[in-house]
Amino acid sequence: MITFIIIVVVLVLAIFGLVKFIDKKVNSKLKPVISIALWLISAVFAYLIYQSIQAPIEFDKLKEKRFQAAVNKMIDIKAVQLAYKSINGKYTDNLDTLITFIENEKFVILERKDTSVIDTDKNKAFGLSVGADGVGGYFKDVVKVREIGKVSIKDSLFKDSDRYKRLNLVRVDGIEAKIELKSGFIDRNDTKVPVFEAKLNKADLLKDQDQSLVKREKNVVSVDGINGEFIMLGSLEEVSMSGNWPKKYGNNE
């Protein structure tokens, strides 16, 4: 805005100087016409300069809104994939499979209780015994786990919302962009470890915008921005559930 003000002031001074010059050199009958024309030209130039400065600002506001919608979708995907893996031991790249899973599967609610029990083997090895009053001998700490109920995946993660049916689609400001889902396994210490990746091209979310600004966004490198061409969650190359967005958009761990 300061740059815009400086440019406008310089332009006004230049026009003013030109008007003064014309006032001295040009025929008196033409002076009003030329003066009006110059002021109109200056107004047009001022508007164009303002637009050139304002356009990136408006673009950034719109970009932030659309990126936030995409990140919210990624966070939903992460929650569902973790739930799916907890029951199936792997991730999936099939949207229909995830929808069916959300609608039909349930989380098991477990109660965990720390307690102490007689260490029979150790007492036997040392020839010890525990008296009726519970004194003497060795005890060991154990965790007792008991199932106390179940809750549906849908109610737990989405409550009354049906947004899970569009997990791979971001819809905002009349723009639709698809998230690409992939899953697989990688080898870690001779063990197959499940991994998945969700990826959205930023250009798809900004396809109705000035393409020069979109190109700039695709090459951005910033602590406060989403670097690169894609909004991404997870990885097919390493064991990671992180997203590539900064914390201002939401949890990316």
Side-chain angles (χ1 to χ4, degrees):
M1 184 56 70
I2 293 177
T3 303
F4 169 71
I5 294 172
I6 292 173
I7 293 174
V8 170
V9 169
V10 172
L11 183 61
V12 169
L13 290 175
I15 295 295
F16 182 77
L18 188 56
V19 169
K20 286 293 185 182
F21 175 78
I22 291 171
D23 186 54
K24 293 180 180 179
K25 302 294 183 180
V26 177
N27 185 291
S28 59
K29 292 182 178 181
L30 295 176
K31 287 178 182 179
V33 175
I34 295 176
S35 296
I36 292 172
L38 286 173
W39 284 115
L40 287 175
I41 291 171
S42 68
V44 170
F45 272 109
Y47 175 77
L48 292 176
I49 293 168
Y50 174 79
Q51 285 296 97
S52 68
I53 295 172
Q54 193 67 16
I57 296 174
E58 294 300 322
F59 174 83
D60 286 341
K61 290 180 180 178
L62 178 141
K63 173 197 72 176
E64 294 290 323
K65 176 185 175 182
R66 295 185 183 180
F67 285 3
Q68 185 64 68
V71 169
N72 291 345
K73 191 72 68 169
M74 291 288 187
I75 292 173
D76 278 347
I77 289 173
K78 178 178 179 179
V80 175
Q81 287 281 32
L82 285 172
Y84 185 87
K85 176 177 173 288
S86 70
I87 293 175
N88 296 283
K90 62 180 181 180
Y91 301 112
T92 180
D93 56 11
N94 188 293
L95 178 63
D96 291 334
T97 298
L98 285 177
I99 292 174
T100 300
F101 169 77
I102 292 167
E103 292 179 337
N104 295 287
E105 291 293 340
K106 296 181 178 181
F107 284 124
V108 175
I109 303 173
L110 301 175
E111 180 184 64
R112 299 171 61 90
K113 183 178 180 180
D114 295 329
T115 187
S116 295
V117 298
I118 298 171
D119 190 337
T120 303
D121 292 337
K122 193 170 184 179
N123 285 328
K124 185 177 180 180
F126 287 93
L128 300 174
S129 62
V130 179
D133 56 359
V135 178
Y138 291 97
F139 290 79
K140 59 183 178 182
D141 295 327
V142 297
V143 178
K144 290 186 177 182
V145 180
R146 181 171 66 94
E147 180 180 323
I148 59 175
K150 292 183 179 181
V151 61
S152 73
I153 302 292
K154 181 180 180 301
D155 289 342
S156 178
L157 298 181
F158 298 99
K159 297 184 180 179
D160 297 327
S161 173
D162 67 348
R163 68 182 188 276
Y164 66 88
K165 294 181 179 180
R166 301 176 297 278
L167 270 180
N168 68 335
L169 184 66
V170 178
R171 184 180 295 146
V172 57
D173 294 336
I175 297 296
E176 291 187 352
K178 285 190 175 181
I179 296 173
E180 181 182 2
L181 290 174
K182 292 183 179 181
S183 65
F185 294 87
I186 58 175
D187 290 321
R188 285 292 181 272
N189 300 321
D190 297 324
T191 301
K192 293 286 187 181
V193 180
V195 292
F196 90 94
E197 178 183 270
K199 182 167 67 173
L200 174 65
N201 194 324
K202 293 195 291 187
D204 291 343
L205 272 179
L206 303 169
K207 55 190 174 186
D208 61 336
Q209 298 300 301
D210 184 329
Q211 291 304 299
S212 64
L213 296 176
V214 174
K215 183 177 180 180
R216 183 199 69 177
E217 173 59 33
K218 290 167 66 174
N219 295 318
V220 71
V221 178
S222 169
V223 175
D224 295 326
I226 300 178
N227 296 334
E229 297 184 35
F230 301 95
I231 301 173
M232 298 184 65
L233 171 68
S235 172
L236 296 177
E237 306 297 330
E238 58 185 64
V239 182
S240 172
M241 289 293 290
S242 296
N244 69 333
W245 55 86
K247 288 185 178 180
K248 68 178 182 179
Y249 289 108
N251 185 16
N252 66 348
E253 296 298 330

